[in-house]
Amino acid sequence: MRFLGIVAALVAGASAAPLVRHIEARQNATTASERLGLQWLGGNSSLPKVLVLFTGGTIAGGSIYGALDDTQYGQLSITGEQIIARNPYLLNHTQLAVSNWTSEEFSTGTSDELVMNMTRFANDALCSEDSDIVGAIYTHGTNSLEETGFLMDLLINCGKPVVGVGSMRPWSHIGFDGDANFFDGVMLAASPEARDRGLMVAFNARILPGFWVTKMHSTNPDAFWANTGGDLGIFVNSLPVFFNTPSTPIQKREFSVAAVSSHSSYPALPKVDILYAAREFDGKLVLDAQANGADGVVIAGTGNGGIPSGSDEIEEALGKGLQLVVGTRSPNGPSSPSVTPFYAKSGFLHVIQARIMLQLAIASGYSMNDTIQLFEGDMRKAIGQPWTPGM
């Protein structure tokens, strides 16, 4: 889009000299900040640089219905720069640059393409050899904050912290929680102790692992919890305090941004749908999803990953190349491997997480057998239940 703007300006007869100097400056850049055109806020160049990926969300939303409304807001909005200006203490500790990822057409709650493009940008900014940025935060609507966090956790793997922040109440509310969450998130992203811990979420003075974080309440400010593994730490005086040294979840896998971006679904991701199993589950729903363009399906199964009915239709869909992962609709506990698998069981990943991992697996060229090993390999080893494809 920037290139098209430059071309349009030249065609319109604008002076070419400033544009040429702008292009030359990018070409002669010595840091990622210069190359990406980031403008840093704050007067102390010795402070750590934290990139702000701004996508809007409740943290940027306000209400025309007064200071008690926390359900009908959205008529008013503020920018990332305005959020920073609300808290003058931020620039005493960091330099901040805002990269805007809002769109009139899409949102990070509706578009894989937008989220993937933001992830590619963040990966470049943080993980390139010329990076001068210590970490990043992303603002996000809480309805899908966990989805973006899980995706970025699997794709940004250079050890620098990325932190998700948001709020459950709009900035016009008397109990707005966004300022505190934003400040905590920036302090976490700037902390050397935050390295090599994967993506994290700063919410309600808690440090949550992005790999396991789940929205557990629809309206309460303490909305997010780690569905497996527990919190990583807390904020004391708005500074991060960790409970343990860095560790990696057993089911976490690292995917290559370049490999995923080479799939035909680029710039988005392969289509994967989620179905919910219940008594008299209709297996035709799986075939319908495939006919509608789905490369994969995740089923929220009963109990330990059961599917009550529909096995014939599922077998037909698998024969046509569909990839299938079955999780559990239960709020806790695993979907455990079958003795002889035909599709993958999700282990401790809930169905939203399983959908994203399946998307990345398909985009990376995994076969159904590869996907089974991806989801089940560590648990099979732990419980002594090996499996050899084709047997």
Side-chain angles (χ1 to χ4, degrees):
M1 295 298 292
R2 289 174 177 170
F3 175 76
L4 292 178
I6 291 172
V7 172
L10 290 172
V11 171
S15 172
L19 298 172
V20 171
R21 286 196 296 269
H22 177 76
I23 294 171
E24 289 177 346
R26 293 292 181 87
Q27 291 174 338
N28 297 327
T30 59
T31 66
S33 294
E34 294 172 344
R35 177 168 53 82
L36 297 173
L38 297 175
Q39 302 296 315
W40 293 98
L41 304 174
N44 187 344
S45 61
S46 68
L47 293 175
K49 293 178 178 177
V50 175
L51 175 64
V52 178
L53 303 162
F54 179 71
T55 78
T58 298
I59 194 171
S63 175
I64 61 173
Y65 299 114
L68 299 182
D69 173 44
D70 64 359
T71 60
Q72 306 301 320
Y73 56 88
Q75 305 81 16
L76 308 174
S77 63
I78 56 178
T79 65
E81 289 83 359
Q82 288 172 312
I83 292 175
I84 294 169
R86 290 173 61 93
N87 193 333
Y89 295 104
L90 283 165
L91 299 182
N92 291 339
H93 300 277
T94 59
Q95 300 176 77
L96 300 174
V98 177
S99 177
N100 184 44
W101 292 90
T102 59
S103 167
E104 294 182 1
E105 299 178 69
F106 310 107
S107 77
T108 49
T110 63
S111 171
D112 283 339
E113 176 180 337
L114 182 60
V115 174
M116 279 300 301
N117 283 334
M118 183 177 74
T119 300
R120 293 182 186 99
F121 179 88
N123 187 68
D124 182 17
L126 294 176
C127 301
S128 59
E129 292 184 358
D130 63 350
S131 178
D132 56 330
I133 304 168
V134 302
I137 70 169
Y138 69 95
T139 73
H140 209 286
T142 58
N143 287 347
S144 55
L145 184 151
E146 66 195 87
E147 296 180 53
T148 296
F150 187 79
L151 176 71
M152 294 178 78
D153 192 36
L154 300 183
L155 286 170
I156 301 176
N157 299 303
C158 59
K160 292 184 179 179
V162 180
V163 181
V165 299
S167 68
M168 294 300 294
R169 292 168 176 165
W171 53 262
S172 53
H173 194 274
I174 57 172
F176 178 51
D177 51 329
D179 284 341
N181 290 340
F182 190 92
F183 186 90
D184 288 350
V186 170
M187 293 300 99
L188 180 57
S191 171
E193 296 299 316
R195 287 188 62 95
D196 300 314
R197 295 180 186 270
L199 188 138
M200 293 167 283
V201 171
F203 223 92
N204 204 41
R206 299 165 62 199
I207 305 173
L208 300 157
F211 190 83
W212 295 120
V213 71
T214 306
K215 188 174 183 179
M216 299 296 289
H217 200 286
S218 61
T219 59
N220 195 290
D222 194 21
F224 287 91
W225 291 74
N227 70 329
T228 301
D231 291 7
L232 300 179
I234 60 174
F235 290 92
V236 178
N237 295 334
S238 293
L239 295 174
V241 179
F242 291 99
F243 299 147
N244 299 297
T245 55
S247 62
T248 302
I250 191 170
Q251 279 193 272
K252 182 174 177 178
R253 299 293 184 271
E254 295 182 355
F255 291 87
S256 163
V257 172
V260 170
S261 298
S262 67
H263 189 263
S264 60
S265 60
Y266 176 87
L269 287 168
K271 179 175 171 59
V272 173
D273 291 328
I274 295 176
L275 301 175
Y276 195 92
R279 191 165 39 240
E280 297 192 9
F281 175 78
D282 189 349
K284 291 181 180 179
L285 294 172
V286 178
L287 288 170
D288 289 344
Q290 187 176 32
N292 195 39
D295 297 298
V297 166
V298 174
I299 297 177
T302 57
N304 191 19
I307 305 176
S309 51
S311 58
D312 290 343
E313 292 85 357
I314 289 172
E315 184 177 351
E316 180 180 346
L318 290 170
K320 294 178 179 178
L322 184 81
Q323 294 210 27
L324 177 66
V325 178
V326 179
T328 174
R329 67 185 195 185
S330 302
N332 293 293
S335 174
S336 302
S338 302
V339 174
T340 304
F342 298 98
Y343 47 79
K345 302 291 282 295
S346 70
F348 289 100
L349 300 183
H350 64 65
V351 293
I352 296 296
Q353 296 165 328
R355 173 184 178 267
I356 294 166
M357 187 172 280
L358 180 56
Q359 285 181 299
L360 295 177
I362 293 172
S364 300
Y366 284 40
S367 67
M368 186 71 257
N369 284 337
D370 295 332
T371 299
I372 293 171
Q373 182 63 26
L374 172 74
F375 279 89
E376 300 182 357
D378 288 312
M379 183 175 286
R380 284 185 174 277
K381 181 179 179 180
I383 65 177
Q385 188 173 296
W387 161 73
T388 302
M391 292 185 63

